[in-house]
Amino acid sequence: MTLDAVLNRIDATLPEAVDRLLELARIPSISTDPTYAGDCQRAADWLVRDLAALGFQASARPTPGHPMVVAHGGAGDGSGRHLLFYGHYDVQPVDPLNLWARDPFDPVVEETPKGKVIRGRGTSDDKGQLLTFIEACRAWKAVHGTLPGKLTIFLEGEEESGSPSLVPFMRENADELKADLALICDTGLYEDRVPAITTMLRGLVGEEVVIHAANKDLHSGSYGGAAANPIRVLAKILAGLHDDQGRVTLPGFYDDVDELPEAVRAQWQGLAFDHARFLGEVGLSVPAGERDRTPLEMIWSRPTCEFNGIAGGYAGAGFKTVLPAEARAKVSFRLVSRMDPAKIRAAFRAYVESCLPADCRVEFHPHGGSPASVMQIADPAFEEARGALTEEWGVSAAYIGSGGSIPIAGYFKSVLGMDAMLIGFAKDDDQIHSPNEKYDLDSFHKGIRSWARILDRLA
Ligand code: BES
């Protein structure tokens, strides 16, 4: 009965919830760019105010980077679990800005052929998603007068830049952050209307490499041929990282990669993933990874080496005959199984150094490193939550893998000894990290309702 009242309350107050998401999404909390540090603080403060209004003891806690929001609320009757909810309020950079149809930080609700969407940077990843949980708490409080059981909310502002302050913060505040189970809302549905619990995430190593040659930019006629060209050196280094079978060539790269257990392989086969549609929707047709793997394996259970950005010389309008003094690339590795971020970084650096010709020098800048994580789903809470999701969406919820990375998912276990349950409502076409990011109004609405149902079973 009271669950129905909470669900009705969610339906009736959806417009106000959307307004709150629009307000939060107007704050350009781009964590990787120091220009936006003040905005990251503003987003944290906005969340502290909102959580305090719901009766949480909330504060924005300083770190060497962006603040962590920590809030405690509810008491419960001692019979339910103490739950901790995690989300992140930081967002990815918006460039290329010219590909956005509107200002990324002036979000709106838009009508599209597939339904209403909330468009703007962070509306899906992860402001809309984290608010699904907070809005469920709000409706719960309005109906019950109390929060759903004993609850800790933990919101990070550095997830999109590798979570550099996270592990020290978790260690220093371990007693305060320890709960019975962590809930994370930063993943997706399996298909547009099929809810999912994500049980595997890849890890990530980010590394920027800068190749230097001459002590200044040179005329490519006066010096070309005689002088080392850092773009040429860099291109050769990057090209050497994959063989013609799509495998990464770094020595030892696959040493700690396990084959998928038969049971998981069989379960994934049961998901009947539509490979052609997956690539087709983004205008592609031929999988570009390891030749002997299916696209689902490529994104969920195999490691990668990808180039995320490359720069050097003149790339502006027209043409310039220059030999640049330096060239740079941002390289990332997605990790699986037992791959060790430090070992992969070291292997990459050793390879680059071994390729350097005379007169060239290399500089490395690390950008985060976190291992892959596999969630334990033995806690009966997982089946309870799956039941709640199935009820809300009308189709059986799936256990799935994910190609993305959420560093904290593994740290809950390794640092705090807690299991984490990953449930999210993003769709593959949300364009997270890309121009024109959006969150379906339906994801937001049914996401809030899903949490209400889950909390009703767990809290
Ligand atoms: N929400 C994503 C992770 C994600 C992506 C989950 C796709 C499921 C499907 C998260 O916010 C994210 O983008 N993380 C970064 C982390 C990195 C910078 C350490 C990522 O995966 O690139």
Side-chain angles (χ1 to χ4, degrees):
M1 265 348 260
T2 42
L3 174 60
D4 284 339
V6 175
L7 296 174
N8 290 339
R9 170 92 194 171
I10 291 168
D11 298 348
T13 55
L14 186 64
E16 289 93 306
V18 170
D19 283 345
R20 280 185 286 269
L21 171 52
L22 294 174
E23 202 176 306
L24 180 58
R26 272 184 213 114
I27 306 174
S29 46
I30 303 172
S31 61
T32 196
D33 183 343
T35 321
Y36 297 92
D39 295 300
C40 290
Q41 178 74 50
R42 273 209 296 139
D45 293 341
W46 188 96
L47 287 159
V48 166
R49 275 197 308 278
D50 193 49
L51 289 166
L54 274 177
F56 283 92
Q57 295 278 350
S59 55
R61 312 272 280 271
T63 73
H66 305 302
M68 304 280 179
V69 173
V70 183
H72 300 286
D77 57 8
S79 65
R81 288 184 176 75
H82 174 189
L83 299 172
L84 177 145
F85 175 80
Y86 167 90
H88 63 91
Y89 65 79
D90 64 321
V91 302
Q92 286 273 329
V94 293
D95 65 287
L97 197 54
N98 62 313
L99 295 185
W100 284 80
R102 53 179 297 113
D103 179 345
F105 295 110
D106 182 19
V108 280
V109 180
E110 237 177 67
E111 195 70 65
T112 76
K114 285 162 107 184
K116 285 197 166 130
V117 305
I118 307 155
R119 177 126 18 228
R121 173 57 90 227
T123 52
S124 175
D125 188 9
D126 183 43
K127 289 170 175 172
Q129 299 244 67
L130 77 84
L131 283 183
T132 56
F133 189 85
I134 295 177
E135 293 301 333
C137 293
R138 195 184 318 274
W140 185 287
K141 175 100 191 266
V143 169
H144 292 259
T146 56
L147 289 165
K150 192 165 154 88
L151 205 53
T152 299
I153 308 256
F154 181 29
L155 308 173
E156 187 191 357
E158 301 185 325
E159 197 272 348
E160 299 291 11
S161 41
S163 300
S165 309
L166 188 61
V167 171
F169 188 85
M170 287 173 91
R171 289 220 169 97
E172 277 159 32
N173 298 280
D175 289 340
E176 192 187 341
L177 293 173
K178 244 190 156 90
D180 296 321
L181 179 68
L183 306 175
I184 301 179
C185 191
D186 195 20
T187 49
L189 298 167
Y190 172 56
E191 275 167 354
D192 272 12
R193 304 198 57 85
V194 183
I197 300 182
T198 297
T199 62
M200 290 170 72
L201 288 163
R202 292 195 286 189
L204 193 83
V205 168
E207 184 84 342
E208 187 167 354
V209 47
V210 191
I211 307 288
H212 298 271
N215 58 14
K216 56 172 82 69
D217 283 4
L218 304 171
H219 188 289
S220 72
S222 313
Y223 288 91
N229 182 334
I231 296 182
R232 195 169 127 196
V233 173
L234 180 64
K236 190 167 174 194
I237 289 173
L238 298 182
L241 278 160
H242 296 87
D243 67 16
D244 57 9
Q245 296 302 303
R247 285 172 63 89
V248 177
T249 56
L250 289 182
F253 189 72
Y254 294 96
D255 283 0
D256 299 317
V257 177
D258 301 322
E259 281 303 322
L260 211 53
E262 254 332 296
V264 178
R265 184 180 298 281
Q267 193 243 320
W268 286 5
Q269 261 155 11
L271 292 173
F273 185 73
D274 187 341
H275 296 113
R277 201 183 74 182
F278 173 69
L279 287 177
E281 273 173 356
V282 293
L284 302 173
S285 58
V286 182
E290 295 170 85
R291 295 282 177 272
D292 52 345
R293 304 284 172 177
T294 66
L296 200 63
E297 281 179 279
M298 289 174 191
I299 55 172
W300 286 0
S301 67
R302 299 296 297 172
T304 65
C305 164
E306 289 296 351
F307 313 133
N308 306 119
I310 183 162
Y314 183 72
F319 207 81
K320 183 180 177 192
T321 47
V322 64
L323 285 185
E326 62 169 59
R328 50 180 69 226
K330 295 182 198 280
V331 179
S332 63
F333 298 88
R334 295 277 169 184
L335 313 183
V336 301
S337 311
R338 295 164 291 112
M339 292 172 88
D340 173 2
K343 200 169 137 188
I344 298 303
R345 194 187 305 283
F348 173 66
R349 290 183 175 186
Y351 160 74
V352 173
E353 268 157 2
S354 77
C355 298
L356 279 185
D359 291 334
C360 288
R361 146 179 96 75
V362 63
E363 212 183 294
F364 295 105
H365 302 278
H367 290 276
S370 55
S373 44
V374 177
M375 308 302 139
Q376 295 311 311
I377 55 168
D379 184 330
F382 281 81
E383 278 304 299
E384 296 266 14
R386 212 163 75 89
L389 287 170
T390 303
E391 227 165 67
E392 172 61 25
W393 294 80
V395 269
S396 191
Y399 284 116
I400 62 169
S402 169
S405 308
I406 305 173
I408 199 169
Y411 297 143
F412 275 128
K413 189 79 184 179
S414 61
V415 179
L416 298 179
M418 303 159 59
D419 288 324
M421 184 152 75
L422 293 135
I423 294 173
F425 311 97
K427 295 185 177 173
D428 278 345
D429 70 355
D430 277 358
Q431 286 150 260
I432 64 171
H433 297 205
S434 304
N436 304 312
E437 178 174 350
K438 58 89 176 160
Y439 198 40
D440 285 27
L441 186 61
D442 212 40
S443 289
F444 190 52
H445 184 189
K446 289 178 85 61
I448 302 170
R449 290 174 54 99
S450 299
W451 284 121
R453 289 184 191 273
I454 294 168
L455 288 168
D456 190 58
R457 295 193 185 210
L458 298 187

